[in-house]
Amino acid sequence: MQFVEEIVVDEFLPTIRSLLAGDLRDRGFTQSDVAAVLGISQSAVSKYAHGDVTINDRIAEDQRVRTLVDELGTGLAAGDISPVQALIEIEVLIRDLESGGDLLAQLHEEAVPELADHGSGFRVHDPESDLRTSERVLSSLRRGLGMLETASGFTNLIPAVGSNLVACTPDADDVDDVAGVPGRIFDVKGRTTVPADPEFGVSEHVARVLLAARRHGADVSAGINVTYEPGLIDDLTERGHVAAEFDESGDVASSVGAAIEDEPAATVLYQTGGMGIEPLIYVLGPDAESVADAIRSII
């Protein structure tokens, strides 16, 4: 595992410092002056000057890097650019070079080939990138599952078909945008058992209920199914939840949609079962931790 920050520290910074140190020395700066401007020691400047620091040729030959070095050297020498301003300009370039398909992104993908699976369009530091968004959902889901695994009595709420705690991305459109537990959560000899790490696209049933609720205006991004008991509905409503019943014997999406339209604030959906259908409660919420906490509150 290698983070893009390691490439920045190990390869980009030594390269641009070496180039900038050389540029400033050519403009008449002393070794002491260069050290002060770059915020490094004089011994480090000496190493740059004598070629004792390994630089990345691909970075050094990038035209944007060379252009910035020339602009910063000119500005620093004339006093038109402060060291802080130079730092900001370098930071901006770093972020540009990290964008999908660009130089640092390429170096990162070469160091971590698995990144190719996410396509070339993601931006590593963009908080809204698909990769980061997905990882946030999975991280939240893992925390929620951890809460349930350690919740005494949760096994009593696991239905015969198993439970699944799911969470979706902000723009979720289908089940592939919903993460859940492969194989669902089961009671194994009185112990809550999560058989595998959460993944996207592995939940069909709970995911469909969550997506249907969202499509009809529910402001929710996570959900879980538990066994149905009238007393649990009462406990949840006492804690501020709004409950709505739906019919799972027909089209689930339509039935959930109708229930949400009748109770727009509903965060608890339930169906009382039928021929071959186990009665279930679905608890929805803004994230996996909130849903897990709601379940823990009624155990």
Side-chain angles (χ1 to χ4, degrees):
M1 178 186 294
Q2 184 176 33
F3 294 98
V4 69
E5 288 85 355
E6 294 178 76
I7 293 173
V8 171
V9 171
D10 296 340
E11 299 188 45
F12 181 85
L13 291 182
T15 299
I16 198 165
R17 281 173 175 164
S18 179
L19 294 174
L20 194 50
D23 183 273
L24 292 173
R25 290 286 281 161
D26 290 343
R27 296 175 190 275
F29 275 50
T30 66
Q31 188 168 293
S32 176
D33 292 336
V34 174
V37 168
L38 299 185
I40 57 179
S41 66
Q42 290 191 45
S43 62
V45 175
S46 178
K47 289 180 180 179
Y48 288 131
H50 291 90
D52 295 333
V53 175
T54 301
I55 67 171
N56 184 298
D57 291 336
R58 287 168 63 183
I59 295 173
E61 293 168 4
D62 187 273
Q63 187 57 51
R64 290 161 297 180
V65 173
R66 302 193 71 84
T67 297
L68 181 62
V69 167
D70 182 66
E71 291 175 352
L72 295 181
T74 300
L76 290 167
D80 296 331
I81 295 177
S82 70
V84 171
Q85 290 172 316
L87 177 64
I88 293 171
E89 291 298 324
I90 293 172
E91 174 79 7
V92 169
L93 178 59
I94 288 172
R95 299 306 170 222
D96 286 342
L97 295 179
E98 288 174 344
S99 62
D102 220 321
L103 180 58
L104 290 179
Q106 292 171 11
L107 294 173
H108 192 203
E109 187 172 308
E110 290 168 12
V112 188
E114 296 85 354
L115 287 172
D117 295 338
H118 297 279
S120 61
F122 78 89
R123 188 182 177 97
V124 174
H125 281 283
D126 181 0
E128 301 307 321
S129 71
D130 290 343
L131 179 60
R132 290 212 165 197
T133 298
S134 297
E135 287 304 315
R136 281 199 300 270
V137 171
L138 292 172
S139 178
S140 172
L141 198 47
R142 284 190 287 267
R143 288 193 294 270
L145 288 168
M147 294 166 64
L148 295 177
E149 284 183 291
T150 58
S152 176
F154 175 64
T155 53
N156 296 326
L157 301 185
I158 298 176
V161 296
S163 287
N164 210 335
L165 177 64
V166 306
C168 68
T169 57
D171 57 351
D173 184 57
D174 57 37
V175 294
D176 288 335
D177 301 318
V178 183
V181 178
R184 300 191 180 184
I185 308 165
F186 286 99
D187 172 6
V188 178
K189 297 181 178 180
R191 180 178 179 181
T192 299
T193 302
V194 178
D197 286 336
E199 299 176 15
F200 280 90
V202 298
S203 171
E204 181 72 27
H205 192 73
V206 185
R208 283 192 296 140
V209 172
L210 174 62
L211 291 170
R214 286 169 55 85
R215 289 186 186 118
H216 287 81
D219 186 17
V220 293
S221 296
I224 191 173
N225 66 313
V226 294
T227 190
Y228 170 79
E229 292 180 14
L232 294 177
I233 300 295
D234 294 338
D235 289 342
L236 287 164
T237 55
E238 286 177 4
R239 286 165 172 76
H241 291 271
V242 175
E245 183 177 0
F246 72 99
D247 181 7
E248 198 167 8
S249 62
D251 180 71
V252 172
S254 297
S255 297
V256 169
I260 293 295
E261 289 175 1
D262 288 340
E263 292 286 358
T267 52
V268 173
L269 302 174
Y270 67 96
Q271 48 86 13
T272 56
M275 183 67 69
I277 299 175
E278 183 178 10
L280 295 171
I281 296 173
Y282 299 85
V283 179
L284 309 177
D287 52 57
E289 298 102 307
S290 300
V291 171
D293 191 53
I295 294 299
R296 289 198 307 182
S297 72
I298 61 172
I299 295 176

